[in-house]
Amino acid sequence: MAVHPVRFSCAALAAAGLFAVASLSTGAPDRAATTTPPGTSMEKKPVSLATITRQEQALQFTSFDNDAALAIGNRIVEQAKADKVAVTVDVSVNRNPLFFHAMAGTSPNNADWIRRKSNLVNRTGHASFWVHTQAVERGQDFDNLPTFDSKDYAAHGGSFPIVVKGTGQIGTITVSGLAGVDDHAMVVRALKWYLKADDVPL
């Protein structure tokens, strides 16, 4: 997968054949046509806010460039193939996509989930699953959070901040296609691999 320094619209990607034809629907579940195989889903294993906070603190970079985006993006695609699931992956810095790949079985709907989840991370500075989990713990409706229009923000797992130590957040790594908790876990697994952070909990 080549690294692209320029932004591509969903329409342009669709025209290039990178998306399967499907209607956009922000209200649909964040899932691709292929679902998580039995036994691999984290749906029944709650992830605490403290665990996600630890992930955010531990999975930070000393530097980040196009090569890092390519390596992490490819790793996520490899993980998805090994798990026999289909996802769309985006790695963006300053809202500029350095890596984008939509696997067979995904649709433009997944690209819209990526847009909305990464918008949430860019606004809050937290992983989208952190915001989701905080809302659940507070008894809030994570699909109707105050000041977050659901057309542009999605408090579902799968988008993680790219933080460079001494600089702060510079971008996002986002996965769409599975349940939010599994999208989130896929990003964390790739970051643990890239940063050699085996002690970070999932």
Side-chain angles (χ1 to χ4, degrees):
M1 182 70 187
V3 178
H4 299 288
V6 296
R7 181 181 295 275
F8 293 96
S9 68
C10 292
L13 288 167
L18 293 176
F19 286 127
V21 177
S23 60
L24 285 169
S25 174
T26 57
D30 184 14
R31 295 183 181 274
T34 306
T35 57
T36 307
T40 62
S41 175
M42 292 177 60
E43 285 283 10
K44 296 181 180 179
K45 182 183 177 183
V47 182
S48 70
L49 197 62
T51 294
I52 303 169
T53 299
R54 182 178 171 188
Q55 293 169 348
E56 291 180 340
Q57 293 170 346
L59 299 174
Q60 299 184 6
F61 298 81
T62 55
S63 63
F64 193 91
D65 57 17
N66 294 47
D67 289 337
L70 180 62
I72 294 168
N74 279 331
R75 179 69 176 187
I76 293 172
V77 172
E78 290 170 3
Q79 289 174 175
K81 288 179 179 178
D83 292 344
K84 294 181 171 55
V85 295
V87 297
T88 299
V89 186
D90 175 89
V91 183
S92 292
V93 171
N94 296 322
R95 300 182 185 273
N96 180 36
L98 303 185
F99 179 98
F100 184 92
H101 182 69
M103 297 175 68
T106 60
S107 78
N109 190 42
N110 296 115
D112 194 58
W113 276 101
I114 283 175
R115 176 186 68 84
R116 294 162 62 223
K117 290 193 285 190
S118 61
N119 279 349
L120 186 72
V121 176
N122 286 324
R123 179 166 162 183
T124 66
H126 282 292
S128 56
F129 197 46
W130 189 98
V131 179
H132 172 94
T133 303
Q134 182 189 60
V136 171
E137 291 187 359
R138 290 178 173 179
Q140 295 176 301
D141 180 357
F142 51 79
D143 281 323
N144 291 286
L145 294 175
T147 75
F148 291 99
D149 188 336
S150 61
K151 292 180 180 178
D152 292 314
Y153 299 94
H156 291 249
S159 189
F160 201 93
I162 300 171
V163 176
V164 174
K165 296 174 183 178
T167 300
Q169 184 193 340
I170 63 167
T172 55
I173 300 170
T174 311
V175 169
S176 172
L178 310 175
V181 64
D182 296 319
D183 283 341
H184 174 81
M186 190 162 282
V187 177
V188 171
R189 284 165 57 197
L191 288 174
K192 280 164 57 74
W193 164 80
Y194 184 84
L195 295 169
K196 297 179 174 58
D198 294 336
D199 59 334
V200 176
L202 269 177

